[in-house]
Amino acid sequence: MRFLPLAALVWLTLPPPACAATWPVPELPVASALDDVTMQWQGDTPGTSRLVAGTLAVPVHLDTTAWRGRPARVYLALPAQPLGRIDVRWRTSGPLLSGQLVAGQRGLIYAGLVPASLRDTLVFDIVADGTRLQRAQALAFRFEIDLE
């Protein structure tokens, strides 16, 4: 009976078990209206395609200090949009990975030991259904980290 309080004290001082978890990564808002992007109809002949496409470069600075030195995967996420399907491809020139996603999904942009911060420029190629695009539409990308 005398060992129970000591055992409880030892249990309380143990670090929490390592397990996978998803966390939002702090970043200045990475949101852009499609009217900031010159969207052009796809196809050789006007009116033969429903798709519009545009390109936008966005500088990114992720504050990953809280996870520094830990193995993790960082994702770019785009919630489902009222416009329906939006395809996004991006290119990078720094430590982040190039990739693609469809609205409602997320795409891997970094895997490995996390530095204190991640900086890069993402060049987005955005494709959407032009018949559903009636006004400027904000795309609120977010970043998430999964600890391994």
Side-chain angles (χ1 to χ4, degrees), residues 12-148:
L12 290 173
T13 61
L14 291 175
C19 59
T22 299
W23 303 94
V25 178
E27 161 63 353
L28 295 174
V30 180
S32 168
L34 288 181
D35 65 353
D36 291 339
V37 180
T38 303
M39 302 296 285
Q40 298 181 354
W41 290 99
Q42 296 287 283
D44 297 331
T45 308
T48 61
S49 174
R50 295 172 44 148
L51 300 178
V52 292
T55 300
L56 175 68
V58 178
V60 172
H61 181 197
L62 303 177
D63 179 8
T64 52
T65 306
W67 305 282
R68 185 178 187 180
R70 296 183 67 181
R73 292 176 178 266
V74 180
Y75 295 90
L76 173 68
L78 177 61
Q81 301 294 305
L83 294 177
R85 183 180 175 104
I86 296 178
D87 295 312
V88 178
R89 291 180 188 267
W90 64 91
R91 300 177 305 281
T92 62
S93 58
L96 300 181
L97 301 171
S98 297
Q100 63 185 14
L101 61 80
V102 174
Q105 298 178 345
R106 62 188 195 160
L108 182 67
I109 61 166
Y110 182 84
L113 294 179
V114 178
S117 68
L118 289 166
R119 291 180 189 227
D120 206 336
T121 296
L122 302 179
V123 180
F124 290 102
D125 295 315
I126 302 167
V127 177
D129 181 347
T131 62
R132 298 188 67 182
L133 184 61
Q134 298 175 4
R135 58 178 169 71
Q137 176 68 43
L139 298 180
F141 292 94
R142 67 177 183 261
F143 297 93
E144 299 173 345
I145 187 168
D146 286 357
L147 302 177
E148 296 179 348

